[in-house]
């Protein structure tokens, strides 16, 4: 560590290297936090979670009961044991509550004063956080599976919406109307995601086994249809121009937007180059996925080697993004996990399950030494967090 600090002092080391190394160590040590509970409000499964990107303090959850809950994740009591309390909720008695299951919730990317939700009741609702009243409601002819606002766009306020129909709908928050439609899929749209790198690039995943990348400024729209075979199979082959051999029900860009991860009901996860649509052929092994709707997974940010967190039955599988190695399985839920979200400021993970619980997974910095050891009262550092830096004396 001293050697690293000396090198940093004279400008030989990248200033973010230590932060990345520490972030990586923290992710490798994620475990169920026994000291922190998330207040249980939902009476049925938790489908979706989102943490606001401004402070990283407030979290939204949406459930199969149509209820939306807003949590404060900060430990204001400063006690070692605490519960993340629900600040407010849109419950069954609220006049504007969703009639059916809430499938997606998302904070407005630039301000905590607004958030959005979409539901099986065929609506997308825009909410005022302070009053918990709807600022706008978009109605659709089909069940809504997914929606997403761009985290980086400054020149448009479009919300991409995936429904039971094969068309992707773009809703403009400024005008309050559906601005245009993207056509090309043949079955329902199970997941949509804007690029975190480019304002106008959108990825969509469908039950037709296809994933498409769109430039929403273009008249034709579709830039690339991802092909798992990278064009090496004849167009006559049934799997040609398909991303998976089953429904594609989840997608997520890496934090830099250079790659796209997709999951399908063929129990596979694939990593794609988002600029040319190439399948990188990273092998993650079997990624169990029996969800009939959208599966919401998360990618780390700011680590030396990025990680992906994928619901895997009642557990969460953690893989390295670029090598495909499975690092661990996070076990704590007792029914299927449908969503997880990563808090990059403190390298924490939150997961929602059909068991109605939201669990917090946090880095374990130390572990107790066995009782028969002489230093039973002390703690020893988890190997994942051991000092990887050598001092200048050792180097010499």
């Amino acid at each position: 560590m001293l050697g690293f600090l000396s090198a940093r002092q004279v400008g030989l080391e990248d200033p973010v290297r230590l932060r990345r190394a520490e972030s990586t160590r923290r992710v490798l040590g994620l475990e169920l936090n026994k000291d922190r509970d998330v207040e249980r409000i939902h009476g049925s499964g938790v489908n979706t979670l989102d943490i606001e990107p401004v402070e990283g303090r407030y979290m939204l959850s949406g459930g199969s009961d149509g209820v939306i809950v807003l949590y404060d994740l900060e430990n204001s009591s400063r006690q070692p044991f605490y519960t993340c309390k629900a600040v407010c909720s849109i419950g069954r008695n609220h006049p504007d509550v969703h009639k059916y299951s809430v499938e997606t919730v998302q904070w407005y990317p630039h301000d905590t004063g607004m958030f959005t939700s979409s539901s099986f009741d065929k609506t997308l609702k825009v909410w005022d956080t302070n009053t918990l009243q709807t600022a706008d409601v978009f109605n659709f002819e089909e069940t809504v599976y997914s929606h997403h606002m761009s985290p980086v766009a400054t020149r448009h306020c479009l919300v991409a919406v995936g429904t039971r129909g094969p068309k992707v709908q773009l809703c403009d928050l400024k005008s309050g109307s559906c601005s245009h439609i993207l056509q090309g899929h043949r079955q329902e749209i199970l997941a949509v995601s804007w690029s975190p790198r480019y304002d106008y690039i959108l990825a969509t995943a469908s039950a037709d086994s296809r994933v498409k990348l769109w430039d929403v400024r273009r008249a034709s729209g579709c830039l690339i249809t991802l092909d798992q075979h990278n064009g090496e199979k004849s167009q006559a082959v049934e799997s040609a121009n398909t991303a998976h051999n089953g429904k594609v029900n989840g997608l997520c860009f890496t934090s830099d937007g250079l790659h796209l991860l997709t999951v399908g009901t063929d129990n596979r996860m694939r990593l794609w180059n988002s600029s040319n649509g190439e399948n990188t052929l990273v092998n993650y092994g079997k990624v169990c996925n029996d969800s009939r709707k959208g599966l919401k997974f998360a990618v780390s940010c700011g680590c030396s080697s990025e990680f992906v967190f994928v619901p895997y039955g009642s557990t969460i599988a953690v893989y390295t993004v670029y090598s495909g190695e499975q690092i661990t399985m996070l076990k704590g839920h007792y029914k299927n996990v449908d969503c997880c979200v990563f808090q990059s400021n403190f390298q924490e993970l939150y997961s929602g399950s059909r068991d109605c619980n939201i669990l917090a997974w946090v880095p374990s910095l130390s572990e107790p030494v066995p009782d028969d050891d002489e230093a039973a009262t002390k703690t020893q550092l988890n190997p994942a967090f051991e000092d990887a830096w050598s001092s200048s004396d050792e180097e010499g």
Side-chain angles (χ1 to χ4, degrees):
M1 179 62 84
L2 292 176
F4 170 79
L5 293 175
S6 299
R8 172 69 194 96
Q9 188 175 18
V10 296
L12 297 177
E13 285 288 1
D14 189 322
V16 301
R17 186 177 168 196
L18 177 60
R19 178 182 175 85
R20 288 183 180 277
E22 181 60 18
S23 295
T24 301
R25 288 192 248 184
R26 288 172 66 83
V27 170
L28 289 172
L30 281 177
E31 66 175 15
L32 184 61
N33 191 342
K34 302 175 180 63
D35 300 334
R36 185 188 319 183
D37 287 325
V38 180
E39 186 177 0
R40 180 168 169 168
I41 302 292
H42 292 283
S44 56
V46 180
N47 296 327
T48 173
L49 297 169
D50 191 43
I51 297 175
E52 48 86 13
V54 180
E55 297 179 75
R57 174 177 175 177
Y58 297 103
M59 180 173 72
L60 289 168
S61 67
S64 298
D65 50 5
V67 172
I68 299 170
V69 184
L70 193 160
Y71 294 96
D72 185 351
L73 302 180
E74 188 173 86
N75 180 11
S76 55
S77 70
R78 303 302 177 197
Q79 299 298 315
F81 304 98
Y82 72 100
T83 299
C84 297
K85 291 289 188 181
V87 177
C88 55
S89 65
I90 300 169
R92 297 310 310 166
N93 296 325
H94 192 286
D96 297 322
V97 67
H98 283 288
K99 294 178 182 178
Y100 305 122
S101 176
V102 175
E103 292 302 302
T104 310
V105 291
Q106 187 189 3
W107 288 99
Y108 181 62
H110 311 294
D111 185 359
T112 57
M114 187 171 79
F115 65 89
T116 55
S117 63
S118 58
S119 165
F120 278 177
D121 65 8
K122 304 180 182 179
T123 64
L124 165 70
K125 296 187 177 185
V126 182
W127 300 86
D128 182 317
T129 310
N130 298 310
T131 64
L132 286 189
Q133 301 296 315
T134 51
D136 207 346
V137 179
F138 295 87
N139 293 285
F140 303 92
E141 296 179 359
E142 304 276 2
T143 297
V144 180
Y145 284 111
S146 175
H147 79 269
H148 193 235
M149 288 180 286
S150 171
V152 295
T154 55
R155 288 170 286 185
H156 71 75
C157 287
L158 297 175
V159 184
V161 182
T163 70
R164 194 171 181 178
K167 300 174 182 178
V168 182
Q169 315 225 26
L170 300 180
C171 300
D172 192 339
L173 293 182
K174 288 183 178 178
S175 67
S177 62
C178 183
S179 61
H180 57 294
I181 290 170
L182 304 176
Q183 301 188 63
H185 284 294
R186 299 173 186 174
Q187 295 183 45
E188 61 261 35
I189 313 298
L190 297 174
V192 295
S193 181
W194 291 96
S195 165
R197 192 176 187 89
Y198 301 109
D199 284 18
Y200 295 98
I201 302 301
L202 174 71
T204 59
S206 170
D208 63 9
S209 303
R210 289 174 169 80
V211 174
K212 292 179 180 287
L213 293 177
W214 313 77
D215 183 336
V216 299
R217 296 169 298 182
R218 292 168 42 134
S220 57
C222 186
L223 290 173
I224 307 170
T225 298
L226 303 184
D227 180 7
Q228 60 183 305
H229 306 296
N230 287 332
E232 294 177 4
K233 293 279 187 178
S234 165
Q235 294 300 307
V237 177
E238 187 178 350
S239 62
N241 285 330
T242 59
H244 288 263
N245 296 322
K247 296 180 180 181
V248 190
N249 61 348
L251 46 74
C252 182
F253 281 95
T254 54
S255 58
D256 58 12
L258 296 177
H259 291 86
L260 176 70
L261 282 152
T262 61
V263 293
T265 56
D266 57 357
N267 295 327
R268 289 288 178 265
M269 179 163 63
R270 295 198 166 93
L271 180 70
W272 310 82
N273 183 320
S274 60
S275 61
N276 60 14
E278 180 185 5
N279 181 1
T280 62
L281 304 177
V282 173
N283 182 12
Y284 299 95
K286 180 180 179 180
V287 182
C288 184
N289 177 2
D290 58 2
S291 177
R292 295 181 180 180
K293 51 186 183 179
L295 191 72
K296 296 171 176 64
F297 62 103
V299 176
S300 68
C301 176
C303 298
S304 301
S305 175
E306 299 299 359
F307 303 91
V308 55
F309 310 92
V310 188
Y312 192 113
S314 62
T315 67
I316 302 160
V318 183
Y319 302 88
T320 53
V321 171
Y322 301 110
S323 72
E325 179 188 0
Q326 185 182 105
I327 301 300
T328 188
M329 299 283 276
L330 302 177
K331 300 177 181 179
H333 289 286
Y334 56 89
K335 286 188 179 179
N336 277 21
V337 179
D338 282 324
C339 59
C340 58
V341 63
F342 184 71
Q343 211 281 26
S344 59
N345 293 348
F346 302 106
Q347 295 77 47
E348 297 174 346
L349 185 75
Y350 293 84
S351 58
S353 164
R354 296 176 197 176
D355 61 15
C356 310
N357 292 315
I358 299 171
L359 298 183
W361 310 85
V362 302
S364 171
L365 297 180
S366 61
E367 57 187 21
V369 175
D371 293 339
D372 57 356
D373 193 283
E374 292 179 2
T377 58
K378 298 181 180 179
T379 59
Q380 92 183 23
L381 201 63
N382 185 309
F385 301 94
E386 286 179 356
D387 189 1
W389 310 108
S390 59
S391 68
S392 54
D393 294 337
E394 291 171 337
E395 291 171 350

